[in-house]
Amino acid sequence: MSIRRFKGRSRTWQVLGSTTGVDDCAPAPPVKKLRLGPMKLAQYQDNRAIQRKETWDVMSTTNRQNLLALQEMAAAPEFDASNAPDLLTVAGVLDGTHEAQISHAGGDHGGETLEDIIELTERARTRCKDTRTRRDRTQKRNDAFAAQMPSMLKAYSAFRARGKPDEGDEGQPELYQVTVIDLFTEQSETLSLPLGCGGFSAALLRLGLVPSAPWTPTFVFTMATLDFYRVSHARCPQFSIYAFTKTLADLHGVPVRSTMHQHFSIALDLYLDLRRRTELQVLTHLGREDPAWRMKNCCPACSYRLEGEDELIFSMLVTMDGNDSLKRVLRRGPGDDGPGETNERWDDRDASDGYYLPRAQVDEWARRRLANILPSDDNGAENPCKERWKNMLNDVTAKMWGIFDETGLFLCLCRHGFALVMVDMLRSGELSKYPLAVVEHLLKHFGVDIGVGYDIGCHFCTTLDKSELGPKAREARLRCLVGSFHGHAHNRLCQVCFLALYVKGLGIEDLEGCERRFSRSNALAGCSRRASRFHRQQEITGYFKHMDDYDVYASLATFLCSNYEQSLKILDDEPIVRQMMRDEDVVDGEEFVQALADETVYLQELWKSSKKAEDTPETRYVACLVAESADLAKVTACRAAVRQSRSDDAAFTPGKTKADMALRHALEKRERSAMALADIEQELGITTRWTPTSPSYIAAEEEARSLEYQRALDRLELLVVERLFELTKMNQSGTGYKMRKHIAKSLQARSKAVRSAVAKYNAAAAAVTPPRDHVDIEQVLEYAFLADFDLLRHSHHEVHRQYWARPAYRAVMNRWFRLERAREEIKRLDVEIRRFVTWMRDESVFLHKRERELRWTEGKTEQQVEDDHALAVHLAEYRERRGRFEQSHMMRLHTLKRRWGTRCTASLTPGVPLQSVSPDEDEEDQMLVDAEREVGMAGGEEPTRQADDDEDHSEGEDDEAHDEQPWD
């Protein structure tokens, strides 16, 4: 009989041994051939060999002899299958060209019966249902790379250590054809890969090639190409992967492939992951693997404290703010009504790199913990920006956005610009949980006396004080401040309490670093808007990390010197300010401090008087009489409406009508008014109810009108005073163009409140006896001095008579405060410059010593020497990342000393860190540490301007004698 064999996955059947040839059958659909790579093919061949051996083991002796005879006969050179129809070759039976005679008794082929063979063919006929999806392909690819990561990391380190491809001598090499993409070339190459080096991807990495797939990649990219894009993208975030792959195609002279950007993205992710893991190995060797180490040591001027340095009012100044430019669209499928559930692919990779706070830590400060700490109307007078609480409450209770997942970034920087911590804002605005989580993190790692600048620091101060962090923040003496730029959009009472100009110990710092950083990081919006969560985080972290190392640190000496020179130039105006003080009869600057305190008291009283009613019982009684009369009139009107609804001409309405409901509400309100009226009559002992003609009624009504007029006047006075003080600041010399425009914009928004206050004032002024003058809103907006506003003469505060309200006095006062802040800035810079100089010396000595330890070969095995050498290469790259700027920093600091002479009191002699030298370090090692720098780090000698191209220019002949300078 004949047996039909299932061929491949095409549902095509062949007849074995039949007279009908394959060509006579219906044509089968084309079958896509699966091309196996070298490693897959070797694995397949090994599995087939194992299966053949298992089949041989279970065969009987007779079957084994028959099979061997068939194989020997088929292999004989004189054998002709066409002349021997009874003798078949195994290959002929398998490919269907010959018939295999099988008896009904079975046992001819390993004991299988006909039913067994039919069952196997029927099972092959049934197509298994494929339940797999492509949703998890990203995660499966990540898992495949993760399984090879140890060998890939070793291969990557070996290539970076050698600096050239390593053919390797481990195992038998195998040839593999792949397209290699370099920066200027693209060509198909046949690579010789050693299979014994830990896998296919590891073998490629030993050649300096990064694969785009874990097993059988079609394209591989050189590390130089990936590194070029990494640096270019960090410098220009608008330079996307898609644009770069198109650029490569143009350079290579090939058409643009639609999937090339995907291959490049996969290879770039793998390359960046290898860089992160390698850096973690270096940090672990240095004892810096703690995620918080980067934040606590990223800025040497802030955190590298020395013994015997001057105490500062603020041990550290930071600024924080939120930005909604870096939003990310949440991918969703179609739903019944609008967007459906998210269809984003799962990706568990993390690229936070110690910059991000965990989301779980931030969510601890969620809405349920803020419900009882937001200010209410009762204590709103304590905060001068109470109207801003409404926006904050809206943020807390806002619905989650349906389009975006991450709706922005909340950032915290030190005053020098180093990124301390970041938080993703999730489907919300700038909620209070984000700054609270950041402040908690700062208190945990930086201790006491921290000044935190925030554009809404005035009311965040109240939130912090009432939260669970309140006692800890007060104990640590943390103070919330408002930046110089945003502060002028707040009212005057907020400015005298929180503005940077009036805060002692702040120096000339404006606390607006986040705005400057956001103006540059907004360029990331294009490449992160529709990225995955991981890729968005990787983009943001990579950008800020590159900025910290190559922009912020590179310009740190410039920042310190520029602030120093700016402070000295401010102090140059001290003789002029002293003369202005004498013209205003001011003997000492402490008078300005008292003037600012008097202004604060005045504004606080004005704020409270404009918010709180001071009605007497008589005025409240008259108000209740008026309300009761209005309620009675309302009841009368509602009863007439009810009678009208029940008349014959009205339309029929079953049940209660709207008129019935209005009457019920009016009766209830009149009842409440009657009860309140009875309580006041009992309080005052009134037996006969007053009427509008009663003398007591007339007197109380006039008093109520006077109180209403006074409240309207106080409110208008407060707004006018704030506006005029802002105009004074805007018209002062030295106010920049952007600040003028910012103040003008805030005044324009505040003029709406002035218009409303003027309308209320005119209504109250017309009701008093005698009537007051009518106020023209256009004239109010044109006033530039308090003396012009005659209406304020009727105020019981008499602000125009206050000495601190005169424009000339205020100009001198502000200039004196600038002198004080300049002196504080110089004191802070003297401390920070010496910290910076000491850190550069100690960091270089410490890293050089650890690098020499790794390069030491005595007492190590060959494998240890190889591993330590690779790690030493990465440590050298880590050292040079910031070490390349040391000479330029020292040149800039020496230029400052030379230009200003004795007026520059900063010391360039390194000090002793609080984490002092270990006791077992002998005197000789300490002397060598002091002599480590030949460019003036230790003695004040000015470095030369000649560039040193030697890779080891910081190492002397006696480098082995330098000991470790520990710090953490």
Side-chain angles (χ1 to χ4, degrees), residues 148-425:
Q148 306 176 69
M149 187 54 67
S151 59
M152 288 195 301
L153 193 60
K154 183 178 180 180
Y156 169 77
S157 299
F159 173 79
R160 296 303 295 266
R162 290 180 174 88
K164 60 181 180 179
D166 177 24
E167 299 294 341
D169 55 356
E170 301 175 0
Q172 183 67 25
E174 183 170 337
L175 301 181
Y176 183 76
Q177 189 172 7
V178 68
T179 302
V180 179
I181 299 178
D182 198 2
L183 194 58
F184 295 102
T185 60
E186 174 184 333
Q187 55 187 355
S188 179
E189 297 184 8
T190 301
L191 305 177
S192 177
L193 304 178
L195 298 181
C197 62
F200 186 79
S201 298
L204 287 173
L205 287 170
R206 281 184 175 270
L207 303 179
L209 304 175
V210 181
S212 59
W215 300 116
T216 56
T218 306
F219 302 97
V220 295
F221 300 86
T222 62
M223 291 186 187
T225 303
L226 297 171
D227 209 45
F228 176 82
Y229 175 75
R230 177 186 67 85
V231 177
S232 301
H233 183 64
R235 287 298 185 183
C236 180
Q238 295 94 335
F239 192 32
S240 64
I241 290 178
Y242 198 66
F244 183 68
T245 53
K246 284 189 173 183
T247 303
L248 291 179
D250 296 341
L251 292 173
H252 300 158
V254 298
V256 178
R257 300 179 180 89
S258 59
T259 58
M260 182 54 69
H261 68 282
Q262 298 176 358
H263 293 284
F264 186 84
S265 177
I266 295 171
L268 180 64
D269 291 343
L270 177 60
Y271 177 69
L272 295 178
D273 190 21
L274 291 171
R275 288 182 59 89
R276 283 192 294 267
R277 293 175 183 270
T278 304
E279 183 173 347
L280 181 60
Q281 289 182 344
V282 174
L283 294 177
T284 302
H285 177 75
L286 298 176
R288 300 174 176 181
E289 68 277 9
D290 185 5
W293 187 94
R294 185 207 61 81
M295 184 189 73
K296 294 190 293 185
N297 297 272
C298 63
C299 180
C302 287
S303 57
Y304 200 64
R305 302 182 182 180
L306 307 178
E307 294 181 357
E309 64 183 14
D310 294 337
E311 292 293 331
L312 302 175
I313 296 178
F314 293 104
S315 63
M316 187 175 186
L317 292 172
V318 302
T319 175
M320 60 183 183
D321 197 7
N323 177 263
D324 61 355
S325 295
L326 300 180
K327 296 185 286 287
R328 186 181 71 87
V329 175
L330 181 63
R331 299 178 183 177
R332 296 178 179 273
D336 297 335
D337 185 14
E341 296 294 331
T342 177
N343 57 4
E344 290 190 348
R345 303 189 190 104
W346 173 249
D347 192 345
D348 63 351
R349 291 176 291 179
D350 179 72
S352 59
D353 245 5
Y355 280 84
Y356 274 87
L357 280 183
R359 294 188 176 186
Q361 181 177 343
V362 178
D363 289 339
E364 292 179 359
W365 299 98
R367 178 174 55 186
R368 64 180 182 272
R369 299 182 64 178
L370 296 176
N372 298 324
I373 67 175
L374 292 182
S376 61
D377 292 337
D378 297 335
N379 58 5
E382 299 176 1
N383 194 289
C385 290
K386 172 185 174 266
E387 62 272 10
R388 296 181 178 269
W389 286 110
K390 185 177 182 181
N391 296 331
M392 191 174 186
L393 184 61
N394 289 337
D395 286 340
V396 175
T397 60
K399 296 181 179 179
M400 294 300 180
W401 296 18
I403 299 177
F404 302 104
D405 189 13
E406 291 90 356
T407 54
L409 182 72
F410 195 88
L411 175 66
C412 179
L413 306 174
C414 76
R415 90 181 195 109
H416 305 96
F418 290 94
L420 299 179
V421 66
M422 294 184 290
V423 178
D424 277 332
M425 297 192 294

Side-chain angles (χ1 to χ4, degrees), residues 570-618:
I570 292 175
L571 292 178
D572 288 340
D573 296 337
E574 185 172 5
I576 300 176
V577 176
R578 294 293 181 184
Q579 181 60 43
M580 296 173 66
M581 292 172 61
R582 287 191 292 268
D583 295 341
E584 293 293 329
D585 296 330
V586 177
V587 179
D588 190 5
E590 292 300 322
E591 295 185 19
F592 293 129
V593 178
Q594 183 61 40
L596 190 65
D598 294 342
E599 181 183 354
T600 304
V601 173
Y602 162 78
L603 293 174
Q604 288 176 345
E605 292 179 354
L606 198 61
W607 178 270
K608 295 177 181 179
S609 63
S610 65
K611 293 297 180 181
K612 293 184 178 180
E614 299 178 357
D615 294 330
T616 61
E618 290 78 7

Side-chain angles (χ1 to χ4, degrees), residues 344-569:
E344 290 190 348
R345 303 189 190 104
W346 173 249
D347 192 345
D348 63 351
R349 291 176 291 179
D350 179 72
S352 59
D353 245 5
Y355 280 84
Y356 274 87
L357 280 183
R359 294 188 176 186
Q361 181 177 343
V362 178
D363 289 339
E364 292 179 359
W365 299 98
R367 178 174 55 186
R368 64 180 182 272
R369 299 182 64 178
L370 296 176
N372 298 324
I373 67 175
L374 292 182
S376 61
D377 292 337
D378 297 335
N379 58 5
E382 299 176 1
N383 194 289
C385 290
K386 172 185 174 266
E387 62 272 10
R388 296 181 178 269
W389 286 110
K390 185 177 182 181
N391 296 331
M392 191 174 186
L393 184 61
N394 289 337
D395 286 340
V396 175
T397 60
K399 296 181 179 179
M400 294 300 180
W401 296 18
I403 299 177
F404 302 104
D405 189 13
E406 291 90 356
T407 54
L409 182 72
F410 195 88
L411 175 66
C412 179
L413 306 174
C414 76
R415 90 181 195 109
H416 305 96
F418 290 94
L420 299 179
V421 66
M422 294 184 290
V423 178
D424 277 332
M425 297 192 294
L426 302 177
R427 305 184 189 181
S428 64
E430 197 171 320
L431 302 182
S432 295
K433 65 179 181 179
Y434 304 122
L436 286 173
V438 170
V439 168
E440 180 188 30
H441 202 61
L442 295 176
L443 290 175
K444 178 180 179 181
H445 295 291
F446 289 109
V448 299
D449 296 328
I450 303 175
V452 180
Y454 192 19
D455 57 357
I456 51 174
C458 49
H459 64 266
F460 175 70
C461 180
T462 306
T463 305
L464 180 63
D465 188 63
K466 293 179 178 295
S467 68
E468 298 178 8
L469 274 179
K472 187 175 181 179
R474 290 190 294 270
E475 182 181 357
R477 300 185 296 276
L478 183 138
R479 183 167 180 181
C480 297
L481 308 167
V482 178
S484 299
F485 188 76
H486 286 92
H488 290 281
H490 295 232
N491 59 48
R492 181 60 185 175
L493 181 55
C494 174
Q495 293 177 13
V496 296
C497 299
F498 297 95
L499 194 64
L501 178 64
Y502 304 123
V503 177
K504 186 177 182 180
L506 193 57
I508 63 172
E509 175 61 35
D510 58 1
L511 299 175
E512 297 290 355
C514 287
E515 300 302 325
R516 291 187 287 270
R517 181 61 63 88
F518 286 144
S519 67
R520 300 183 62 180
S521 65
N522 287 342
L524 287 169
C527 58
S528 62
R529 183 62 50 87
R530 295 187 176 274
S532 65
R533 173 182 170 183
F534 164 75
H535 285 110
R536 175 183 175 273
Q537 189 182 71
Q538 182 173 260
E539 289 280 353
I540 295 174
T541 303
Y543 175 80
F544 279 93
K545 186 175 183 179
H546 192 275
M547 284 282 294
D548 286 347
D549 289 335
Y550 297 101
D551 275 356
V552 180
Y553 181 80
S555 59
L556 181 55
T558 303
F559 175 92
L560 298 174
C561 295
S562 298
N563 277 24
Y564 213 110
E565 292 178 348
Q566 184 180 353
S567 300
L568 291 175
K569 290 178 181 179

Side-chain angles (χ1 to χ4, degrees), residues 748-851:
Q748 184 179 4
R750 197 173 297 171
S751 64
K752 297 180 180 179
V754 175
R755 292 177 183 275
S756 176
V758 167
K760 292 182 179 180
Y761 169 81
N762 287 333
V768 297
T769 304
R772 301 293 186 181
D773 295 336
H774 180 80
V775 177
D776 187 3
I777 181 59
E778 300 301 331
Q779 294 180 355
V780 172
L781 296 178
E782 292 178 359
Y783 289 152
F785 301 99
L786 289 175
D788 297 335
F789 200 69
D790 296 333
L791 182 65
L792 298 181
R793 302 181 187 277
H794 300 290
S795 172
H796 61 278
H797 296 284
E798 296 185 348
V799 63
H800 63 283
R801 297 182 181 274
Q802 301 293 335
Y803 67 98
W804 45 262
R806 291 183 290 109
Y809 188 91
R810 300 186 63 81
V812 181
M813 180 176 67
N814 288 337
R815 296 189 68 171
W816 182 84
F817 276 116
R818 283 182 59 83
L819 291 177
E820 291 298 304
R821 300 293 84 83
R823 294 188 182 94
E824 296 167 356
E825 181 71 13
I826 290 177
K827 180 180 179 181
R828 174 175 291 276
L829 290 173
D830 287 344
V831 173
E832 291 180 346
I833 288 176
R834 197 177 188 207
R835 288 178 180 176
F836 185 34
V837 172
T838 307
W839 181 87
M840 284 192 290
R841 180 203 64 180
D842 293 350
E843 179 77 353
S844 179
V845 173
F846 174 71
L847 295 181
H848 274 99
K849 182 178 183 299
R850 289 302 179 93
E851 184 179 346

Side-chain angles (χ1 to χ4, degrees), residues 637-774:
C638 290
R639 282 174 176 170
V642 169
R643 288 194 297 268
Q644 181 65 27
S645 65
R646 295 176 181 176
S647 63
D648 296 338
D649 298 336
F652 173 74
T653 303
K656 295 290 184 179
T657 63
K658 291 183 178 180
D660 294 330
M661 297 296 294
L663 177 61
R664 182 170 66 85
H665 293 161
L667 289 173
E668 292 175 353
K669 186 176 180 181
R670 181 178 182 275
E671 183 179 357
R672 290 194 297 270
S673 299
M675 293 177 61
L677 190 62
D679 292 340
I680 296 179
E681 288 179 344
Q682 185 176 2
E683 178 184 354
L684 296 177
I686 298 175
T687 56
T688 303
R689 181 163 295 181
W690 295 354
T691 63
T693 59
S694 302
S696 300
Y697 184 97
I698 296 174
E701 187 178 25
E702 183 62 28
E703 184 180 1
R705 291 173 181 172
S706 299
L707 288 175
E708 183 65 25
Y709 168 77
Q710 192 61 52
R711 283 194 293 267
L713 176 61
D714 290 341
R715 176 60 179 170
L716 180 59
E717 179 184 0
L718 177 64
L719 294 175
V720 168
V721 169
E722 291 175 348
R723 185 176 185 278
L724 295 181
F725 286 169
E726 289 301 308
L727 284 174
T728 303
K729 168 62 179 177
M730 187 171 65
N731 294 327
Q732 281 181 359
S733 60
T735 303
Y737 173 77
K738 291 185 178 180
M739 179 63 73
R740 293 176 190 271
K741 301 296 291 185
H742 183 67
I743 295 175
K745 185 177 180 180
S746 64
L747 290 176
Q748 184 179 4
R750 197 173 297 171
S751 64
K752 297 180 180 179
V754 175
R755 292 177 183 275
S756 176
V758 167
K760 292 182 179 180
Y761 169 81
N762 287 333
V768 297
T769 304
R772 301 293 186 181
D773 295 336
H774 180 80

